[in-house]
Amino acid sequence: MLSIYRELVKSFRVLAGFDGWMIAKAEFKIIRQTTYIYAKDDNTTEREVKNKIIKQRKSYAVILADMVYKDIEYNVIMYLIKPAEINFTKDGFKKVTEILPPYADGAVYLYSSAYSKLCIKEFTECTGDSNYIHQMETPVVPGMLMFEDVLENVFCVNNGYCVLEYFTIVFRKPVFADEIINLYKTGDNRIFAMPAQGHKCILWELFL
């Protein structure tokens, strides 16, 4: 499962023109007993990924990666935004204290995580992600790296088999290299991340 997910993410590297953009939301979907059928003259082979730009505006885009494997369709949809002139540093994204949403009260702590520069470098090299925001002195952690991490640590069993078939992750604020984040789970199966130190705010949240 994780290998299929990684192939879907890697396929986005061929879609140029999104340097400096950020992921606002990503959706992962598994469609069983798919009716997806390739045209007879299509040279597509099993596990080959197809991708396309669904929509693109000046500062907003929707892109899709799709794969059919053993009669099951897998796809990842990413919603991208191009920030205005913003300093891509921790100071440029100072986190302020927020009024936390009601679901944060009583949430169960899962684990803490942090991503080193080396971890970010290995992930971006593997996926072909050349976005400069992941290559700065203090790089932004790729959203899909954190997405993959929570899948592996929370939802995957039996050597990478994922027990979920549909989920959405929304990225609210960037996470930087070596920044420690705490993950929590609510009673309604929502998972969210907050900084381990400093001001409390929602960095990203995953909906089931």
Side-chain angles (χ1 to χ4, degrees):
M1 169 62 198
L2 285 176
S3 65
I4 290 176
Y5 163 78
R6 181 65 71 90
E7 286 185 47
L8 290 167
V9 174
K10 287 172 65 175
S11 76
F12 287 119
R13 68 184 182 274
V14 303
L15 300 178
F18 296 107
D19 200 27
W21 292 51
M22 302 183 73
I23 304 173
K25 182 172 74 171
E27 297 176 353
F28 185 88
K29 184 183 299 184
I30 298 175
I31 306 172
R32 300 187 181 278
Q33 298 179 339
T34 178
T35 57
Y36 187 107
I37 300 176
Y38 293 115
K40 291 183 179 180
D41 60 349
D42 195 339
N43 294 321
T44 302
T45 59
E46 198 170 67
R47 283 194 76 152
E48 181 176 346
V49 182
K50 289 189 169 185
N51 54 59
K52 64 179 179 180
I53 299 174
I54 298 175
K55 181 184 298 184
Q56 185 171 6
R57 301 289 185 268
K58 184 176 180 180
S59 58
Y60 172 78
V62 182
I63 57 179
L64 164 72
D66 184 273
M67 173 199 294
V68 174
Y69 179 58
K70 293 185 177 180
D71 297 323
I72 299 177
E73 181 181 355
Y74 302 83
N75 64 52
V76 171
I77 301 175
M78 291 193 195
Y79 300 79
L80 307 178
I81 57 172
K82 184 178 183 180
E85 293 298 324
I86 292 178
N87 179 15
F88 280 101
T89 66
K90 287 185 178 181
D91 290 337
F93 281 98
K94 286 183 178 178
K95 298 179 177 68
V96 298
T97 302
E98 298 179 345
I99 298 176
L100 295 178
Y103 59 76
D105 291 332
V108 177
Y109 169 80
L110 293 176
Y111 64 93
S112 297
S113 188
Y115 305 88
S116 66
K117 290 183 180 180
L118 178 59
C119 179
I120 294 170
K121 183 175 183 292
E122 290 176 344
F123 182 82
T124 55
E125 287 181 348
C126 178
T127 59
D129 187 347
S130 60
N131 195 334
Y132 72 84
I133 67 175
H134 307 312
Q135 301 172 11
M136 304 179 303
E137 182 178 351
T138 304
V140 174
V141 180
M144 303 315 286
L145 171 56
M146 294 185 286
F147 191 21
E148 182 176 286
D149 187 43
V150 74
L151 292 186
E152 185 173 14
N153 283 288
V154 181
F155 298 111
C156 285
V157 297
N158 299 330
N159 298 319
Y161 176 75
C162 185
V163 296
L164 293 180
E165 296 191 0
Y166 176 81
F167 36 89
T168 299
I169 185 167
V170 176
F171 300 97
R172 304 201 179 281
K173 293 179 174 62
V175 176
F176 293 85
D178 299 319
E179 180 179 0
I180 301 174
I181 60 175
N182 292 337
L183 275 71
Y184 301 86
K185 185 176 182 180
T186 67
D188 60 355
N189 289 325
R190 180 197 308 257
I191 292 175
F192 63 91
M194 294 198 302
Q197 299 175 336
H199 299 298
K200 297 300 181 183
C201 60
I202 302 296
L203 298 169
W204 55 259
E205 51 190 333
L206 185 148
F207 306 88
L208 307 183

